[in-house]
Coordinates of all heavy atoms in Angstrom, one line a residue:
M1 N 0.8 -1.2 0.0 CA 0.0 0.0 0.0 C 0.8 1.3 0.0 O 1.8 1.3 0.8 CB -0.9 0.0 1.2 CG -1.7 1.2 1.5 SD -2.8 1.1 2.9 CE -3.8 2.3 2.6
I2 N 0.7 2.2 -0.9 CA 1.5 3.3 -1.0 C 0.7 4.4 -0.4 O -0.5 4.6 -0.5 CB 1.7 3.7 -2.6 CG1 2.4 2.7 -3.2 CG2 2.3 5.0 -2.6 CD1 2.6 2.9 -4.6
L3 N 1.3 5.0 0.7 CA 0.6 6.3 1.3 C 1.0 7.6 0.6 O 2.2 7.8 0.3 CB 1.1 6.2 2.8 CG 0.7 5.0 3.6 CD1 1.2 5.2 5.0 CD2 -0.8 4.9 3.7
M4 N 0.1 8.3 0.4 CA 0.3 9.6 -0.4 C 0.0 10.7 0.5 O -0.9 10.8 1.2 CB -0.6 9.7 -1.5 CG -0.6 10.9 -2.3 SD -1.6 11.1 -3.8 CE -3.0 10.4 -3.3
R5 N 1.0 11.5 0.9 CA 1.0 12.7 1.6 C 0.4 13.8 0.7 O 1.0 14.0 -0.4 CB 2.2 13.1 2.2 CG 3.0 12.0 3.0 CD 3.1 12.3 4.4 NE 3.0 13.6 4.8 CZ 2.6 14.0 6.0 NH1 2.3 13.1 6.8 NH2 2.5 15.2 6.4
T6 N -0.5 14.4 1.1 CA -1.3 15.5 0.3 C -1.2 16.9 1.0 O -1.5 17.9 0.3 CB -2.8 15.1 0.1 OG1 -3.4 15.2 1.6 CG2 -3.0 13.7 -0.5
G7 N -0.8 16.9 2.3 CA -0.7 18.2 2.9 C -2.1 18.5 3.7 O -2.2 19.5 4.3
S8 N -3.0 17.7 3.4 CA -4.4 18.1 4.0 C -4.6 17.2 5.2 O -5.7 17.2 5.7 CB -5.5 18.0 3.0 OG -5.6 16.5 2.7
E9 N -3.6 16.5 5.6 CA -3.8 15.5 6.7 C -4.5 16.1 8.0 O -5.3 15.5 8.6 CB -2.6 14.9 7.0 CG -2.2 13.7 5.9 CD -1.4 14.4 4.7 OE1 -1.2 15.5 4.8 OE2 -1.2 13.5 3.9
P10 N -4.1 17.3 8.5 CA -4.6 17.8 9.6 C -6.3 17.9 9.5 O -7.0 17.8 10.4 CB -4.0 19.1 9.8 CG -2.6 19.1 9.1 CD -3.0 18.2 8.0
T11 N -6.7 18.3 8.3 CA -8.1 18.5 8.1 C -8.9 17.3 7.7 O -10.1 17.2 7.9 CB -8.5 19.6 7.1 OG1 -7.9 19.1 5.9 CG2 -7.9 20.9 7.5
T12 N -8.2 16.2 7.2 CA -8.9 15.0 6.7 C -8.6 13.8 7.7 O -8.9 12.8 7.3 CB -8.5 14.6 5.3 OG1 -7.2 14.6 5.1 CG2 -9.0 15.8 4.3
A13 N -7.8 14.1 8.6 CA -7.2 13.0 9.5 C -8.4 12.2 10.3 O -9.4 12.9 10.7 CB -6.3 13.4 10.5
R14 N -8.4 11.1 10.4 CA -9.4 10.4 11.2 C -8.8 9.6 12.5 O -7.7 9.3 12.4 CB -10.0 9.2 10.3 CG -10.9 9.8 9.2 CD -11.6 8.7 8.6 NE -12.5 9.4 7.5 CZ -13.3 8.5 6.7 NH1 -13.3 7.3 6.9 NH2 -14.0 9.1 5.8
S15 N -9.5 9.6 13.5 CA -8.9 9.1 14.7 C -9.4 7.6 15.0 O -10.6 7.3 14.6 CB -9.4 10.0 15.9 OG -9.0 9.5 17.1
A16 N -8.6 6.8 15.6 CA -9.0 5.4 15.8 C -9.7 5.4 17.1 O -9.1 5.2 18.2 CB -7.7 4.5 15.9
L17 N -11.0 5.7 17.1 CA -11.7 6.1 18.3 C -11.9 4.8 19.1 O -11.9 4.9 20.4 CB -13.1 6.7 18.0 CG -13.0 8.1 17.4 CD1 -14.3 8.7 17.1 CD2 -12.4 9.1 18.3
R18 N -12.1 3.5 18.6 CA -12.3 2.4 19.3 C -11.0 2.0 20.1 O -11.1 1.7 21.3 CB -12.6 1.2 18.5 CG -14.2 1.5 18.0 CD -14.6 0.2 17.1 NE -15.9 0.4 16.7 CZ -16.1 0.8 15.3 NH1 -15.1 0.7 14.5 NH2 -17.4 0.9 14.9
M19 N -9.9 2.3 19.4 CA -8.6 2.0 20.2 C -8.5 3.1 21.4 O -8.1 2.7 22.6 CB -7.4 2.2 19.3 CG -6.1 1.9 20.0 SD -4.8 1.9 18.8 CE -4.7 3.7 18.5
R20 N -8.7 4.4 21.0 CA -8.7 5.3 22.0 C -9.7 5.1 23.2 O -9.4 5.4 24.3 CB -9.0 6.8 21.5 CG -7.9 7.3 20.7 CD -8.1 8.8 20.2 NE -8.5 9.7 21.3 CZ -9.2 10.8 21.3 NH1 -9.5 11.2 20.0 NH2 -9.5 11.6 22.2
L21 N -10.8 4.6 22.9 CA -11.9 4.2 23.9 C -11.3 3.2 24.8 O -11.2 3.4 26.1 CB -13.0 3.6 23.3 CG -14.1 3.1 24.2 CD1 -14.8 4.2 25.0 CD2 -15.1 2.3 23.5
W22 N -10.7 2.0 24.4 CA -10.2 1.0 25.2 C -8.9 1.5 25.9 O -8.7 1.1 27.2 CB -10.0 -0.3 24.4 CG -11.4 -0.8 24.1 CD1 -11.9 -1.0 22.8 CD2 -12.3 -1.2 24.9 NE1 -13.1 -1.4 22.6 CE2 -13.4 -1.7 24.0 CE3 -12.5 -1.5 26.3 CZ2 -14.6 -2.1 24.6 CZ3 -13.7 -2.0 26.8 CH2 -14.6 -2.3 26.0
L23 N -8.0 2.2 25.4 CA -6.9 2.8 26.1 C -7.3 3.7 27.2 O -6.7 3.7 28.2 CB -6.0 3.4 25.1 CG -5.1 2.6 24.2 CD1 -4.4 3.5 23.2 CD2 -4.2 1.6 25.0
S24 N -8.5 4.4 26.9 CA -8.9 5.4 28.0 C -9.5 4.5 29.1 O -9.4 4.9 30.3 CB -10.0 6.3 27.4 OG -9.2 7.2 26.6
V25 N -10.2 3.5 28.8 CA -10.8 2.6 29.8 C -9.7 2.0 30.7 O -9.8 2.0 31.9 CB -11.6 1.4 29.2 CG1 -12.1 0.5 30.2 CG2 -13.0 2.2 28.6
W26 N -8.7 1.5 30.0 CA -7.5 1.0 30.7 C -6.8 2.1 31.7 O -6.6 1.8 32.8 CB -6.4 0.5 29.8 CG -5.3 -0.2 30.2 CD1 -4.0 0.3 30.2 CD2 -5.2 -1.4 31.0 NE1 -3.1 -0.4 30.9 CE2 -3.7 -1.7 31.3 CE3 -6.1 -2.4 31.4 CZ2 -3.4 -2.7 32.0 CZ3 -5.7 -3.5 32.0 CH2 -4.4 -3.7 32.4
G27 N -6.7 3.2 31.1 CA -6.1 4.3 31.8 C -7.0 4.6 33.1 O -6.5 5.0 34.2
L28 N -8.3 4.7 32.8 CA -9.2 5.0 34.0 C -9.1 4.0 35.1 O -9.2 4.4 36.2 CB -10.6 5.2 33.5 CG -11.7 5.6 34.4 CD1 -11.4 6.9 35.0 CD2 -13.1 5.5 33.8
I29 N -9.1 2.7 34.8 CA -8.9 1.7 35.8 C -7.7 1.9 36.5 O -7.8 1.8 37.8 CB -8.9 0.2 35.0 CG1 -10.3 -0.1 34.5 CG2 -8.5 -0.8 36.0 CD1 -10.4 -1.3 33.5
W30 N -6.6 2.2 35.9 CA -5.3 2.4 36.7 C -5.3 3.5 37.5 O -4.7 3.7 38.5 CB -4.2 2.4 35.7 CG -3.7 1.0 35.3 CD1 -4.1 0.3 34.2 CD2 -3.0 0.1 36.1 NE1 -3.4 -0.9 34.2 CE2 -2.8 -1.1 35.6 CE3 -2.4 0.3 37.4 CZ2 -2.1 -2.2 36.1 CZ3 -1.7 -0.9 37.9 CH2 -1.5 -2.1 37.2
A31 N -6.0 4.6 37.0 CA -6.0 5.9 37.8 C -6.9 5.8 38.9 O -6.5 6.2 40.0 CB -6.6 7.0 36.8
I32 N -7.9 5.1 38.8 CA -8.8 4.8 40.0 C -8.1 3.9 40.9 O -8.1 4.1 42.3 CB -10.2 4.3 39.5 CG1 -11.1 5.2 38.8 CG2 -11.0 3.7 40.7 CD1 -12.3 4.7 38.2
A33 N -7.5 2.8 40.5 CA -6.7 2.0 41.4 C -5.5 2.8 42.1 O -5.4 2.5 43.2 CB -6.1 0.9 40.5
G34 N -4.9 3.7 41.4 CA -3.9 4.4 41.9 C -4.4 5.4 43.0 O -3.8 5.5 44.1
T35 N -5.6 6.0 42.7 CA -6.2 6.7 43.7 C -6.5 6.0 44.9 O -6.1 6.5 46.1 CB -7.6 7.5 43.2 OG1 -7.2 8.2 42.0 CG2 -8.2 8.4 44.3
A36 N -7.1 4.9 44.8 CA -7.4 4.2 46.2 C -6.2 3.6 46.8 O -6.2 3.7 48.0 CB -8.2 2.9 45.6
A37 N -5.1 3.2 46.0 CA -3.9 2.7 46.7 C -3.2 3.8 47.4 O -2.7 3.6 48.5 CB -3.0 2.0 45.6
F38 N -3.1 4.9 46.8 CA -2.4 6.0 47.5 C -3.1 6.5 48.5 O -2.5 7.1 49.6 CB -2.0 7.1 46.4 CG -0.9 6.8 45.5 CD1 -1.0 6.9 44.1 CD2 0.3 6.5 46.1 CE1 0.0 6.4 43.4 CE2 1.5 6.1 45.2 CZ 1.3 6.1 43.9
A39 N -4.4 6.6 48.5 CA -5.3 6.8 49.7 C -5.0 6.0 50.9 O -5.0 6.5 52.1 CB -6.8 7.0 49.4
V40 N -5.1 4.6 50.6 CA -4.8 3.8 51.7 C -3.4 3.9 52.2 O -3.3 3.6 53.4 CB -5.2 2.3 51.1 CG1 -4.6 1.3 52.0 CG2 -6.5 2.1 50.8
A41 N -2.5 4.1 51.4 CA -1.1 4.3 51.8 C -0.9 5.5 52.4 O 0.4 5.8 52.8 CB -0.1 4.1 50.6
D42 N -1.8 6.3 52.8 CA -1.7 7.7 53.2 C -0.6 8.7 52.5 O 0.3 9.2 53.1 CB -1.2 7.6 54.7 CG -1.4 8.8 55.5 OD1 -2.4 9.6 55.1 OD2 -0.7 9.1 56.5
R43 N -0.9 8.6 51.3 CA -0.2 9.5 50.4 C -1.0 10.5 49.7 O -1.4 10.3 48.4 CB 0.7 8.9 49.3 CG 1.6 7.7 49.9 CD 2.8 8.3 50.6 NE 3.6 8.9 49.5 CZ 4.9 9.2 49.6 NH1 5.4 9.1 51.0 NH2 5.6 9.8 48.8
P44 N -1.5 11.6 50.3 CA -2.7 12.3 49.8 C -2.2 13.1 48.5 O -3.1 13.3 47.6 CB -3.0 13.3 50.9 CG -1.7 13.3 51.7 CD -1.1 11.9 51.7
G45 N -1.0 13.5 48.4 CA -0.8 14.2 47.1 C -0.7 13.3 46.0 O -1.4 13.8 45.0
W46 N -0.3 12.1 46.0 CA -0.5 11.3 44.8 C -1.8 10.7 44.6 O -2.2 10.5 43.5 CB 0.5 10.0 45.1 CG 1.9 10.4 44.9 CD1 2.9 10.5 45.8 CD2 2.6 10.5 43.7 NE1 4.1 10.8 45.3 CE2 3.8 10.8 43.9 CE3 2.1 10.5 42.3 CZ2 4.9 11.0 42.9 CZ3 3.0 10.6 41.3 CH2 4.4 10.9 41.6
A47 N -2.5 10.7 45.7 CA -4.1 10.3 45.5 C -4.8 11.4 44.7 O -5.6 11.1 43.9 CB -4.7 10.0 46.9
V48 N -4.4 12.6 45.3 CA -5.1 13.7 44.4 C -4.8 13.8 43.0 O -5.6 14.0 42.1 CB -4.8 15.1 45.1 CG1 -5.2 16.3 44.3 CG2 -5.4 15.0 46.5
A49 N -3.5 13.5 42.8 CA -3.0 13.5 41.3 C -3.6 12.5 40.5 O -4.1 12.6 39.3 CB -1.4 13.3 41.4
C50 N -3.8 11.2 41.1 CA -4.5 10.2 40.4 C -5.9 10.4 40.2 O -6.6 10.2 39.2 CB -4.3 8.9 41.2 SG -2.6 8.2 40.9
G51 N -6.5 11.1 41.3 CA -8.0 11.5 41.0 C -8.1 12.5 40.1 O -9.2 12.5 39.3
A52 N -7.2 13.4 40.0 CA -7.4 14.4 38.8 C -7.2 13.8 37.5 O -7.9 14.0 36.5 CB -6.2 15.5 39.0
L53 N -6.2 12.9 37.3 CA -6.1 12.0 36.1 C -7.3 11.3 35.8 O -7.7 11.3 34.7 CB -4.9 11.1 36.3 CG -4.5 10.3 35.0 CD1 -4.2 11.3 34.0 CD2 -3.3 9.5 35.3
S54 N -8.0 10.8 36.9 CA -9.2 10.0 36.6 C -10.3 10.9 36.0 O -11.1 10.5 35.1 CB -9.8 9.5 37.9 OG -8.9 8.4 38.4
L55 N -10.4 12.1 36.5 CA -11.4 13.1 36.0 C -11.1 13.5 34.4 O -11.9 13.6 33.6 CB -11.3 14.4 36.8 CG -12.1 15.5 36.2 CD1 -13.8 15.1 36.4 CD2 -12.1 16.7 37.2
I56 N -9.8 13.6 34.1 CA -9.4 14.1 32.9 C -9.6 12.9 31.9 O -10.3 13.0 30.8 CB -7.9 14.5 32.7 CG1 -7.6 15.6 33.5 CG2 -7.4 14.5 31.4 CD1 -6.2 16.0 33.7
V57 N -9.4 11.7 32.3 CA -9.7 10.4 31.6 C -11.1 10.3 31.2 O -11.6 9.9 30.2 CB -9.0 9.2 32.1 CG1 -9.5 7.9 31.4 CG2 -7.4 9.3 32.1
T58 N -11.9 10.6 32.4 CA -13.4 10.4 32.2 C -13.9 11.5 31.3 O -14.8 11.0 30.4 CB -14.1 10.7 33.6 OG1 -13.6 9.7 34.5 CG2 -15.6 10.7 33.6
L59 N -13.4 12.6 31.2 CA -13.9 13.7 30.2 C -13.4 13.2 28.9 O -14.3 13.4 27.9 CB -13.2 15.1 30.6 CG -13.7 15.7 31.8 CD1 -13.0 17.0 32.1 CD2 -15.2 15.9 31.9
D60 N -12.2 12.7 28.7 CA -11.9 12.2 27.4 C -12.8 11.0 26.9 O -13.1 11.0 25.8 CB -10.4 11.7 27.4 CG -9.9 11.3 26.1 OD1 -10.0 12.0 25.2 OD2 -9.1 10.3 26.0
L61 N -13.3 10.2 27.8 CA -14.1 9.0 27.6 C -15.4 9.7 27.0 O -16.0 9.1 26.1 CB -14.4 8.2 28.7 CG -13.2 7.0 28.8 CD1 -13.6 6.4 30.2 CD2 -13.4 6.1 27.7
V62 N -15.9 10.7 27.7 CA -17.2 11.2 27.2 C -16.9 11.8 25.7 O -17.9 11.6 24.9 CB -17.7 12.4 28.1 CG1 -18.8 13.2 27.6 CG2 -18.0 11.8 29.6
M63 N -16.1 12.4 25.5 CA -15.8 13.0 24.3 C -15.6 12.0 23.2 O -16.2 12.0 22.1 CB -14.5 13.8 24.1 CG -14.2 14.5 22.8 SD -12.7 15.3 22.7 CE -11.6 13.9 22.7
I64 N -14.9 10.9 23.5 CA -14.7 9.8 22.6 C -16.1 9.0 22.3 O -16.4 8.9 21.1 CB -13.7 8.7 23.1 CG1 -12.4 9.3 23.1 CG2 -13.8 7.4 22.2 CD1 -11.3 8.5 23.8
L65 N -16.8 8.8 23.2 CA -18.2 8.2 23.1 C -19.1 9.1 22.3 O -19.8 8.6 21.4 CB -18.9 8.0 24.5 CG -18.1 6.7 25.2 CD1 -18.8 6.5 26.6 CD2 -18.4 5.5 24.4
R66 N -19.0 10.5 22.5 CA -19.8 11.4 21.7 C -19.5 11.3 20.3 O -20.3 11.3 19.3 CB -19.6 12.8 22.2 CG -20.4 13.9 21.4 CD -20.3 15.3 22.1 NE -20.7 16.2 21.2 CZ -19.8 17.1 20.8 NH1 -18.7 17.1 21.0 NH2 -20.3 18.1 19.8
H67 N -18.1 11.3 19.9 CA -17.8 11.1 18.6 C -18.1 9.7 17.9 O -18.5 9.9 16.7 CB -16.2 11.4 18.4 CG -15.7 12.8 18.5 ND1 -14.6 13.2 18.5 CD2 -16.5 13.9 18.9 CE1 -14.4 14.5 18.7 NE2 -15.6 15.0 18.7
I68 N -18.1 8.8 18.6 CA -18.5 7.4 18.2 C -19.9 7.6 17.7 O -20.4 7.1 16.7 CB -18.1 6.5 19.0 CG1 -16.7 6.2 19.2 CG2 -18.8 5.1 18.7 CD1 -16.2 5.1 20.2
R69 N -20.8 8.0 18.7 CA -22.3 8.2 18.3 C -22.6 9.1 17.3 O -23.6 9.2 16.6 CB -23.0 8.6 19.7 CG -22.9 7.6 20.6 CD -23.8 7.8 21.9 NE -23.6 6.9 22.7 CZ -23.5 7.0 24.0 NH1 -23.5 8.2 24.5 NH2 -23.4 6.0 24.9
Q70 N -21.6 10.0 16.9 CA -22.0 10.9 15.7 C -21.8 10.4 14.4 O -22.2 10.9 13.5 CB -21.0 12.1 15.8 CG -21.4 13.1 16.9 CD -20.4 14.3 17.0 OE1 -19.3 14.3 16.6 NE2 -21.0 15.4 17.7
G71 N -21.3 9.1 14.4 CA -21.4 8.4 13.1 C -20.0 8.3 12.3 O -19.0 8.5 12.9
P72 N -20.3 7.9 11.0 CA -19.0 7.5 10.3 C -18.1 8.6 10.0 O -17.0 8.3 9.7 CB -19.6 7.0 9.0 CG -21.0 7.2 9.0 CD -21.4 7.7 10.4
H73 N -18.5 9.9 10.1 CA -17.5 11.0 9.8 C -16.5 11.0 10.8 O -15.2 11.1 10.5 CB -18.2 12.3 10.0 CG -17.3 13.6 9.9 ND1 -16.8 13.8 8.8 CD2 -16.9 14.3 10.8 CE1 -15.8 14.9 9.0 NE2 -16.0 15.2 10.3
Y74 N -16.7 10.5 12.2 CA -15.7 10.3 13.2 C -15.1 9.0 13.3 O -14.0 8.8 13.7 CB -16.2 10.8 14.5 CG -16.4 12.3 14.5 CD1 -17.6 12.9 14.4 CD2 -15.3 13.1 14.8 CE1 -17.7 14.4 14.4 CE2 -15.4 14.5 14.7 CZ -16.5 15.1 14.6 OH -16.9 16.4 14.7
Q75 N -16.0 8.0 13.0 CA -15.6 6.6 13.2 C -15.9 5.8 12.0 O -17.0 5.2 12.0 CB -16.3 5.9 14.4 CG -15.8 4.6 14.8 CD -14.3 4.6 15.0 OE1 -13.7 5.5 15.6 NE2 -13.7 3.4 14.9
P76 N -15.1 5.9 11.0 CA -15.5 5.1 9.8 C -15.4 3.6 9.9 O -14.6 3.1 10.6 CB -14.5 5.6 8.8 CG -13.3 6.1 9.7 CD -13.8 6.5 10.9
G77 N -16.3 3.0 9.2 CA -16.4 1.5 9.3 C -15.7 1.1 8.1 O -15.0 1.9 7.3
R78 N -15.7 -0.3 7.8 CA -14.9 -0.7 6.6 C -15.6 -0.4 5.3 O -15.1 -0.3 4.3 CB -14.9 -2.2 6.8 CG -13.9 -2.7 7.9 CD -13.7 -4.1 7.9 NE -12.7 -4.4 9.0 CZ -12.7 -5.4 9.8 NH1 -13.7 -6.4 9.6 NH2 -11.8 -5.6 10.6
D79 N -16.9 -0.1 5.4 CA -17.7 0.4 4.2 C -17.6 1.9 3.9 O -18.1 2.1 2.9 CB -19.1 -0.1 4.3 CG -19.8 0.3 5.6 OD1 -19.0 0.9 6.6 OD2 -20.9 0.6 5.6
I80 N -16.9 2.6 4.7 CA -16.7 4.1 4.4 C -15.4 4.2 3.9 O -14.4 4.0 4.5 CB -16.9 4.8 5.8 CG1 -18.2 4.4 6.5 CG2 -16.8 6.4 5.5 CD1 -19.4 4.9 5.8
P81 N -15.3 4.7 2.6 CA -14.0 5.0 1.9 C -13.2 6.1 2.7 O -14.0 7.0 3.3 CB -14.4 5.3 0.5 CG -15.8 5.9 0.6 CD -16.6 5.1 1.8
P82 N -12.0 6.2 2.4 CA -11.2 7.3 3.0 C -11.5 8.6 2.3 O -12.1 8.6 1.1 CB -9.8 7.0 2.8 CG -9.8 6.1 1.8 CD -11.2 5.4 1.9
Y83 N -11.3 9.7 2.9 CA -11.5 11.1 2.2 C -10.6 11.1 1.0 O -9.5 10.5 0.8 CB -11.1 12.1 3.1 CG -11.9 12.4 4.3 CD1 -11.5 12.1 5.4 CD2 -13.3 12.9 4.2 CE1 -12.2 12.4 6.6 CE2 -13.9 13.1 5.2 CZ -13.5 12.9 6.5 OH -14.3 13.1 7.5
P84 N -11.2 11.5 -0.1 CA -10.4 11.6 -1.3 C -9.3 12.7 -1.2 O -9.5 13.7 -0.6 CB -11.4 12.2 -2.5 CG -12.3 12.7 -1.7 CD -12.5 12.1 -0.4
P85 N -8.1 12.4 -1.8 CA -7.0 13.3 -1.7 C -7.4 14.6 -2.5 O -8.0 14.5 -3.5 CB -5.8 12.6 -2.3 CG -6.4 11.6 -3.2 CD -7.7 11.3 -2.5
P86 N -6.9 15.8 -2.0 CA -7.4 17.0 -2.9 C -6.6 17.0 -4.1 O -5.6 16.6 -4.3 CB -6.7 18.1 -2.0 CG -6.2 17.5 -0.7 CD -6.2 16.0 -0.8
G87 N -7.5 17.3 -5.2 CA -7.0 17.3 -6.5 C -7.0 18.7 -7.0 O -7.1 19.7 -6.3
P88 N -7.1 18.8 -8.4 CA -7.1 20.2 -9.0 C -8.3 20.8 -8.7 O -8.4 22.1 -8.6 CB -6.9 19.8 -10.4 CG -6.7 18.4 -10.7 CD -6.9 17.8 -9.4
H89 N -9.5 20.3 -8.3 CA -10.7 20.8 -8.1 C -10.9 21.2 -6.6 O -11.7 21.8 -6.2 CB -11.9 20.0 -8.5 CG -11.9 18.6 -7.8 ND1 -11.1 17.7 -8.2 CD2 -12.7 18.1 -6.9 CE1 -11.3 16.5 -7.5 NE2 -12.5 16.9 -6.8
H90 N -9.9 20.8 -5.7 CA -9.9 21.0 -4.4 C -8.7 22.0 -4.1 O -7.6 21.9 -4.4 CB -9.6 19.8 -3.5 CG -10.7 18.9 -3.5 ND1 -11.5 18.6 -4.6 CD2 -11.1 18.1 -2.5 CE1 -12.4 17.7 -4.2 NE2 -12.1 17.3 -2.9
P91 N -9.1 23.3 -3.4 CA -7.9 24.1 -3.0 C -7.0 23.6 -2.1 O -7.2 22.7 -1.3 CB -8.7 25.4 -2.6 CG -10.1 24.9 -2.3 CD -10.3 23.6 -3.0

């Protein structure tokens, strides 16, 4: 497969949302576990840091799920072709 760079990648790029979803779930599990472990170990600074990370990951999960629900523009399936590269008719 030959990859063609067109210079429009920032505007036509697609995100692997399902992979991001599962990586975020994995990160959330570890952040929650870290929050609990550091709280039990009487390390409040680290517990707060892990709690803040849990909040950030949760917000990222909400955004990822929103994009997945918005349809193929954000999460293309196998039947959705990639964006066409810009040609003479595209600026």
Side-chain angles (χ1 to χ4, degrees):
M1 176 182 196
I2 298 173
L3 296 176
M4 178 174 42
R5 301 243 344 148
T6 62
S8 67
E9 285 81 7
T11 58
T12 60
R14 293 185 176 184
S15 176
L17 290 175
R18 287 185 186 104
M19 181 179 66
R20 282 183 58 199
L21 173 73
W22 291 112
L23 287 172
S24 292
V25 167
W26 180 251
L28 183 62
I29 290 168
W30 277 101
I32 290 171
T35 303
F38 285 123
V40 169
D42 197 29
R43 305 288 289 193
W46 285 103
V48 168
C50 286
L53 184 61
S54 298
L55 179 62
I56 292 168
V57 173
T58 301
L59 293 174
D60 188 44
L61 277 169
V62 168
M63 184 189 71
I64 292 168
L65 289 171
R66 180 173 166 252
H67 283 178
I68 287 173
R69 289 187 182 135
Q70 286 180 339
H73 174 70
Y74 287 101
Q75 184 62 27
R78 291 189 174 141
D79 56 338
I80 306 296
Y83 292 110
H89 59 286
H90 289 36

